[in-house]
Amino acid sequence: MKELTIDAAIENIETVTDFINEELEGLGCPMKAQIQIDVAIDELFGNIARYAYSPETGKATVRLDVEKTPLSVVITFIDNGKPFNPLEAAEPDVTLSADERTEGGLGIFLVKKSMNLVEYEYADGHNILRIKKNLE
């Protein structure tokens, strides 16, 4: 397991992405999976940075675990900001044009569609959001 604890701030999305990508490259992660994971990091860490502690800034921890069979990565985002389960948000109506859709919800929708697992729990004062992506 690798772990990074950092300020939950928009400017740190790149640091989190680099942290994860360094490990993905060592695993021989396919480019398509890496791009999907990068989009998920941008969405999930970005949401923590924007909303978890607003208007303050707090810490967030990002953990990376590797599972061998099948080869996959599990990335866990942990913060102790306001309790929020993004999986309970209404899914956007993707049949509507961008102009007709209400704002919000598309990012988590894309994460749910591109990851093999997305789960949330609130435990001991922490938001814990876990994503899993199979690399094989």
Side-chain angles (χ1 to χ4, degrees):
M1 174 182 73
K2 301 278 185 170
E3 185 173 288
L4 172 69
T5 299
I6 194 166
D7 285 341
I10 294 295
E11 59 268 17
N12 286 333
I13 292 173
E14 185 176 348
T15 301
V16 173
T17 303
D18 290 346
F19 165 72
I20 297 295
N21 282 340
E22 182 178 322
E23 298 301 317
L24 294 177
E25 288 167 16
L27 294 169
C29 179
M31 185 55 66
K32 179 180 178 182
Q34 183 172 339
I35 291 169
Q36 291 171 328
I37 291 167
D38 289 353
V39 168
I41 292 167
D42 187 75
E43 173 64 21
L44 301 175
F45 191 84
N47 281 347
I48 294 168
R50 285 182 197 90
Y51 306 116
Y53 301 100
S54 183
E56 307 299 319
T57 300
K59 297 286 185 184
T61 298
V62 180
R63 285 189 188 138
L64 175 73
D65 291 291
V66 178
E67 296 180 355
K68 298 292 184 192
T69 308
L71 182 61
S72 57
V73 292
V74 177
I75 303 168
T76 306
F77 299 85
I78 304 166
D79 70 79
N80 61 347
K82 299 169 194 147
F84 177 69
N85 182 351
L87 304 181
E88 292 178 346
E91 290 198 356
D93 184 348
V94 294
T95 63
L96 298 175
S97 72
D99 291 335
E100 296 173 309
R101 276 195 301 263
T102 57
E103 189 175 323
L106 189 58
I108 193 67
F109 173 78
L110 293 172
V111 171
K112 291 188 320 191
K113 293 294 181 195
S114 64
M115 296 296 116
N116 296 96
L117 172 76
V118 181
E119 59 186 14
Y120 170 86
E121 68 178 309
Y122 186 79
D124 300 321
H126 295 89
N127 291 294
I128 304 166
L129 185 66
R130 192 172 291 110
I131 60 173
K132 179 178 181 177
K133 182 67 179 174
N134 293 341
L135 304 182
E136 296 181 327

